Amino acid sequence: MIDFSAPADVVAPQLLGATIHIHGVGVRLTEVEAYLGSEDEAAHTYRGQTPRNAAMFGPPGRLYVYLSYGIHRAGNLVCAPVGTGQGCLLRAGEVTSGVSLAQERRGEVPFHRLAQGPGNLGRALGLNLSDNGAQPEITESPEEVEWVRGPRIGITKNTDAPLRFWIPGHATVSGRRHRPPA
């Protein structure tokens, strides 16, 4: 059972293989990154609570949805006790239900790229800013999933922290798929 009240780096590998269902689309998570609040310079919550990141300080298991680069809606699942500001960024996954809807949202891309990368995953799921703080439906993986961890990607602070978790060799995993794990 996924224990969202645990720290994000404990929750992250538990999310791999789980399926998140939002707005008619299900995505089996294949890659996530943990962000550890005030202990983590790369976290949106490093400097404390703001109106923008308030959902990250709320109940565990809820969504934190934000606008990335002014165009992409990315999502995190809040972790750790209320007030902690930790979460797991949803980086990549495999669309398992609502495929035609995900394709409509994403356009003409290969199947394995429908939810590859945080912005693309958010678009496939139809995330919008009004989903911030919502409780998504999550179906846990029926089997144990092999995973590896290594440095996060696409950030400029705390880059060496081994807080990126992924299913090795899975086609949906975003960049640096073959980088040796930490």
Side-chain angles (χ1 to χ4, degrees):
M1 186 159 146
I2 300 170
D3 179 11
F4 286 103
S5 66
D9 58 338
V10 173
V11 175
Q14 295 174 21
L15 288 171
L16 296 173
T19 302
I20 185 166
H21 307 269
I22 302 173
H23 302 302
V25 172
V27 173
R28 180 177 174 258
L29 298 172
T30 59
E31 180 184 12
V32 296
E33 287 180 349
Y35 288 87
L36 303 176
S38 62
E39 304 170 25
D40 184 353
E41 273 187 283
H44 286 189
T45 55
Y46 177 67
R47 289 195 165 91
Q49 187 171 333
T50 67
R52 178 182 182 229
N53 70 17
M56 283 281 278
F57 291 89
R62 301 290 176 112
L63 281 170
Y64 163 54
V65 179
Y66 64 95
L67 201 55
S68 175
Y69 300 108
I71 53 173
H72 303 290
R73 283 157 191 84
N76 285 253
L77 288 167
V78 177
C79 303
V82 169
T84 308
Q86 294 190 26
C88 291
L89 173 66
L90 308 176
R91 277 205 62 84
E94 176 182 14
V95 177
T96 58
S97 63
V99 174
S100 61
L101 188 52
Q103 288 172 325
E104 183 181 311
R105 291 173 180 158
R106 285 279 290 122
E108 294 292 322
V109 297
F111 178 79
H112 74 281
R113 297 202 55 220
L114 283 173
Q116 185 181 60
N120 294 331
L121 190 151
R123 190 167 189 182
L125 288 172
L127 286 181
N128 56 65
L129 297 179
S130 65
D131 293 318
N132 200 31
Q135 177 76 55
E137 178 188 341
I138 298 173
T139 306
E140 295 183 40
S141 176
E143 57 206 31
E144 201 165 317
V145 175
E146 179 186 351
W147 55 271
V148 293
R149 72 188 292 170
R152 294 178 294 201
I153 59 176
I155 59 172
T156 58
K157 296 178 181 173
N158 203 11
T159 57
D160 292 331
L163 295 173
R164 179 174 162 247
F165 301 80
W166 69 95
I167 297 174
H170 202 284
T172 62
V173 172
S174 58
R176 294 200 219 162
R177 199 171 24 252
H178 304 291
R179 184 174 180 162

